[in-house]
């Protein structure tokens, strides 16, 4: 067996066959079905930022693909047509009154792919998913925890609260699609920290000392229908308060899983249970299905790819079972509440959130200001 990182790509997991409550009884007839020919208008980005925060042209050259450090984020690029924007906004608006709520972090609607066939068909569109797999350089699929399909944030105007605090995502990759009219909008800007390892050991230091403002880059959308694609599980990012706008800042966030079952899994179950406040039975089953899919893929690798010569290295063969067992036991402990895998958040005094997902006193060493005071325009 090779010493290189293992790679075994399997088919993506289909969403659950049944629709759980409270979403099943809230479904309604929709005036339109998703049609890629009418609703998409894909204009690929010309540049992306890598995880070492260098600009790289896209499509990637052969040279760029060698030792590719991984995608950090793209420049904004168009994904939806004007008709697509109108149709998606209409699908979301039909469920706003019942499902828009303030969770620990932000004002949002969750579970839209359970509520709307239009949203589900958009999220599973092969043409859309091919684009994001190509940008990531990884075989991606809509995340197996379907509550994350079309998570929609509402940045209300003039509240003084961040639309989203400084954080790392709880799924591997996301695209963030703007749906609102952003002409004349002040605030509501996506900010990205240009710092490697901001999802790792450096995070605790940042929680205490604050965000280094000179390393913050502001990425601005040009209009509705444009998106940014990012490996948000590895980079700290936030969205500043909306100060002035024609309408609330509406952003549609789609999450992805990596179909390589040996890739590190960035899924954080505790986020959806304790911060997003998703129904516990839905979180439990979605997470269990996700982990079962990964571990079954790892077992199929043994069945289909390991040769008799490979099996001479019994220690390496045993490690495959150990790895799968450790992943299963972590899932076991998370489901029973014995462990918690919430990511950290960096907050200002109006938005007091810590690792346990509950309100808390302000970090005493935190600088109480947003990095917007010294932001720079995107260099992408």
């Amino acid at each position: 067996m090779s010493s290189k990182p293992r790679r075994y790509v399997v088919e993506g997991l289909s969403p659950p066959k049944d629709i759980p409550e409270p979403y099943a009884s809230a479904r309604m007839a929709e005036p339109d079905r998703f049609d890629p020919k009418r609703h998409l208008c894909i204009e690929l980005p010309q540049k992306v930022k890598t995880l070492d925060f260098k600009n790289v042209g896209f499509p990637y050259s052969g040279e760029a693909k060698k030792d590719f450090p991984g995608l950090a984020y793209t420049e904004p690029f168009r994904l939806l047509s004007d008709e697509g924007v109108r149709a998606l906004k209409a699908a979301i608006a039909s469920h706003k009154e019942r499902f828009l709520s303030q969770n620990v972090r932000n004002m949002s609607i969750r579970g839209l792919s359970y509520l709307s066939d239009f949203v589900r068909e958009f999220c599973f569109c092969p043409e859309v998913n091919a684009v994001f797999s190509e940008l990531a350089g990884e075989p991606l699929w809509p995340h197996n925890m379907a509550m994350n399909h079309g998570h929609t944030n509402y940045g209300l105007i003039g509240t003084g609260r961040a639309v989203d605090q400084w954080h790392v995502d709880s799924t591997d990759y996301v695209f963030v699609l703007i749906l609102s009219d952003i002409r004349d909008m002040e605030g509501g800007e996506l900010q990205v920290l240009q710092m490697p390892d901001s999802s790792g050991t450096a995070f605790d230091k940042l929680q205490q000392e604050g965000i280094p403002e000179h390393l913050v880059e502001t990425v601005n959308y040009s209009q509705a229908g444009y998106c940014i694609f990012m490996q948000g599980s590895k980079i700290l990012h936030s969205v500043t308060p909306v100060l002035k706008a024609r309408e609330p800042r509406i952003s549609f966030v789609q999450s992805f899983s990596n179909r390589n079952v040996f890739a590190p899994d960035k899924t954080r179950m505790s986020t959806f249970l304790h911060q997003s406040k998703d129904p516990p039975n839905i979180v439990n089953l979605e997470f269990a299905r996700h982990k079962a899919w990964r571990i079954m893929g790892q077992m199929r690798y043994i069945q289909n790819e390991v040769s008799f010569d490979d099996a001479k290295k019994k220690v390496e063969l045993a490690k495959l079972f150990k790895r799968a067992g450790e992943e299963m036991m972590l899932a076991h402990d998370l489901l029973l509440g014995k462990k918690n895998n919430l990511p950290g958040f960096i907050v200002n005094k109006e938005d007091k959130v810590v690792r346990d997902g509950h309100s808390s006193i302000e970090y005493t060493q935190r600088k109480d200001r947003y990095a917007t005071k010294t932001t720079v325009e995107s260099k992408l």
Side-chain angles (χ1 to χ4, degrees), residues 155-159 161 163 185-188 240-245 249:
L156 302 183
I157 305 165
T159 66
R161 290 180 60 103
V163 178
M185 181 179 286
E186 295 179 11
T240 64
V242 178
L243 306 177
K244 179 182 176 183
R249 181 188 188 275

Side-chain angles (χ1 to χ4, degrees), residues 284-303:
N284 293 342
L285 182 57
E286 287 188 343
F287 184 69
R289 293 179 80 248
H290 171 64
K291 285 300 182 181
W293 170 82
R294 278 180 54 86
I295 293 162
M296 287 172 65
Q298 294 169 26
M299 296 300 99
R300 285 203 297 272
Y301 171 81
I302 297 173
Q303 291 177 318

Side-chain angles (χ1 to χ4, degrees), residues 12 21 37 48-50 57 64 96 105 110 153 169 189 225 234 298 315 340 349-350 359 363 371 373 377:
E21 292 294 353
K37 293 181 180 179
V48 308
K49 271 272 174 69
T50 59
K96 178 182 174 183
R105 279 176 44 205
R110 303 267 300 162
N153 288 326
D169 291 337
E189 297 170 314
K234 292 188 176 181
Q298 294 169 26
V315 173
N340 184 319
K349 62 183 179 181
E350 287 83 17
S359 297
Y363 288 107
K373 293 183 179 179
E377 292 302 308

Side-chain angles (χ1 to χ4, degrees), residues 355-366:
R355 287 183 185 273
D356 64 0
H358 298 91
S359 297
S360 172
I361 60 171
E362 175 187 1
Y363 288 107
T364 56
Q365 299 179 52
R366 170 73 171 96

Side-chain angles (χ1 to χ4, degrees), residues 45-195:
Q46 295 182 343
K47 292 181 182 179
V48 308
K49 271 272 174 69
T50 59
L51 284 174
D52 54 6
F53 298 102
K54 295 179 180 178
N55 290 328
V56 173
F58 184 82
Y60 303 126
S61 66
E63 187 65 27
K65 291 179 181 179
K66 295 179 182 177
D67 301 318
F68 186 62
L71 172 81
Y73 57 97
T74 69
E75 65 180 350
F77 66 97
R78 190 162 191 177
L79 182 61
L80 292 183
S81 65
D82 291 342
E83 184 179 359
V85 170
R86 289 192 295 269
L88 184 54
K89 283 184 75 174
I92 295 169
S94 64
H95 299 286
K96 178 182 174 183
E97 182 175 351
R98 179 171 177 181
F99 289 98
L100 179 64
S101 63
Q102 177 72 52
N103 60 38
V104 171
R105 279 176 44 205
N106 48 36
M107 184 76 73
S108 64
I109 299 176
R110 303 267 300 162
L112 276 167
S113 74
Y114 287 129
L115 291 165
S116 166
D117 288 335
F118 185 97
V119 169
R120 180 174 291 202
E121 290 162 4
F122 172 40
C123 291
F124 281 90
C125 173
E127 186 176 351
V128 170
N129 291 313
V131 166
F132 294 107
S133 292
E134 186 178 357
L135 284 164
E138 298 280 2
L140 302 185
W141 185 254
H143 198 279
N144 296 326
M145 297 187 72
M147 287 292 291
N148 294 291
H149 299 171
H151 168 105
T152 300
N153 288 326
Y154 276 74
L156 302 183
I157 305 165
T159 66
R161 290 180 60 103
V163 178
D164 216 342
Q165 301 157 2
W166 285 101
H167 67 284
V168 290
D169 291 337
S170 296
T171 58
D172 299 275
Y173 292 86
V174 300
F175 72 68
V176 184
L177 171 68
I178 287 293
L179 295 177
S180 49
D181 184 349
I182 58 174
R183 290 174 295 173
D184 306 320
M185 181 179 286
E186 295 179 11
E189 297 170 314
L190 175 66
Q191 298 185 316
V192 182
L193 181 63
Q194 312 288 291
M195 179 184 287

